[in-house]
Amino acid sequence: MIILSLFDGVSCGRIAAERAGLTVTKYYASEVDKYAIKVSQANWPDIIHLGDVTKWREWDIDWSSIDLLIGGSPCQGFSFAGKQLAFDDPRSKLFFVYVDILNHIRSVNTDVKFMLENVKMKKEHLAVISEQLGVEPVFINSALVSAQNRQRYYWANWEIKQPENKAIALADVIGVDARFFAVYQKDKPSKPRPSNNKSSCLTGAANAAGNHSQMDVIVMNGAHIPLTSTGRIDIHSNPMVRRYSVAECEMLQTVPVGYTKSVSNSQAYKMLINGWTVDVIAHIFRSMK
């Protein structure tokens, strides 16, 4: 199988393909972040990196040989956590580059398979994407295969069913009972929320995705959390509060532990925040088989 991955990040699609048992003869990757490319190359030196997706017409590849097109176009314009500029956001406009590439491949290979991932969004934006791709999405929460609540839409031109619930708990990742967690907001005490033994979706700062100072934090032994008079956690003086480690974020995204070790922790957090839950993608790929 020859795979073309757009907005490839750290090549989570390559991990998923191997985990799903696909035989990958070539894996083309389009990515511009130098740190993401460094991680990808450290783990998969055979990947063929193509560069900027907007320059796809200059790529020297055999388009008719592409068996599978995958990608998760930048979601900042769609996300309910952001400003929801949708297609007015230049990053989200890159979705149409995905469509252009898909249509070009279809013109020379009508059997090409494709898969696109994106966040929860308004129905009108969802409808535009579905119309452009010609298929309806499947909504999957990563909590079924991991310890993280991460709700995403997946469009593909083959049938996708819900994965089985593996019942993985947050305690399986961090090794202790995490009864409460809170979203860290700089200089603002956070309200504790019951974890239901799952992490919330890994996120970064809304105005600077990847700023790990706004990663989720864990509060252990939740029954004894000292709160402020307003019922919030004083994160600056509470010894029971800490951030997830990089290894824990890798486990929450079902990425192999140590996968991002070739870059700094700051860069690793950013990439894992923006990446895929690998076991969800592997499940989708198995459905294709």
Side-chain angles (χ1 to χ4, degrees), residues 149 170 178-185 190-201 203 216-219 222 225 227 231-233:
N149 279 303
L170 182 57
R179 300 184 185 179
F180 291 90
F181 70 90
V183 176
Y184 179 78
Q185 295 177 324
S190 301
K191 271 193 174 181
R193 302 195 303 271
S195 69
N196 297 321
N197 231 335
K198 294 285 186 180
S199 169
S200 66
C201 182
T203 58
D216 290 339
V217 296
I218 305 163
V219 179
I225 302 173
L227 303 177
R232 294 176 178 269
I233 304 170

Side-chain angles (χ1 to χ4, degrees), residues 46-205:
D46 61 328
I47 286 179
I48 302 168
H49 288 272
L50 301 171
D52 188 345
V53 72
T54 64
K55 298 179 180 179
W56 66 271
R57 297 182 190 277
E58 302 173 12
W59 294 346
D60 182 20
I61 62 176
D62 177 7
W63 293 101
S64 65
S65 71
I66 303 299
D67 299 301
L68 173 62
L69 175 69
I70 62 175
S73 56
C75 63
Q76 290 89 343
F78 298 119
S79 175
F80 286 109
K83 297 181 179 179
Q84 299 183 57
L85 298 174
F87 299 108
D88 291 329
D89 188 306
R91 294 165 296 185
S92 297
K93 282 183 178 180
L94 290 173
F95 159 72
F96 293 106
V97 178
Y98 179 98
V99 174
D100 287 342
I101 293 173
L102 174 60
N103 289 336
H104 180 68
I105 298 173
R106 280 172 162 169
S107 71
V108 293
N109 178 9
T110 57
D111 295 325
V112 66
K113 300 293 186 184
F114 71 85
M115 189 277 295
L116 178 80
E117 172 265 2
N118 220 302
V119 296
K120 287 183 71 176
M121 63 185 75
K122 292 181 178 179
K123 289 182 178 179
E124 55 265 36
H125 304 149
L126 201 67
V128 171
I129 293 176
S130 299
E131 181 182 9
Q132 290 288 322
L133 296 177
V135 296
E136 293 298 318
V138 174
F139 184 72
I140 298 177
N141 189 340
S142 295
L144 292 172
V145 298
S146 73
Q148 177 191 187
N149 279 303
R150 192 177 186 88
Q151 300 176 330
R152 294 293 187 267
Y153 282 105
Y154 301 89
W155 290 260
N157 58 342
W158 66 88
E159 183 181 8
I160 301 173
K161 296 181 179 179
Q162 292 293 315
E164 293 183 9
N165 189 347
K166 294 183 178 180
I168 300 173
L170 182 57
D172 297 327
V173 172
I174 65 173
V176 295
D177 178 17
R179 300 184 185 179
F180 291 90
F181 70 90
V183 176
Y184 179 78
Q185 295 177 324
K186 192 173 183 180
D187 300 325
K188 293 181 181 179
S190 301
K191 271 193 174 181
R193 302 195 303 271
S195 69
N196 297 321
N197 231 335
K198 294 285 186 180
S199 169
S200 66
C201 182
L202 296 178
T203 58

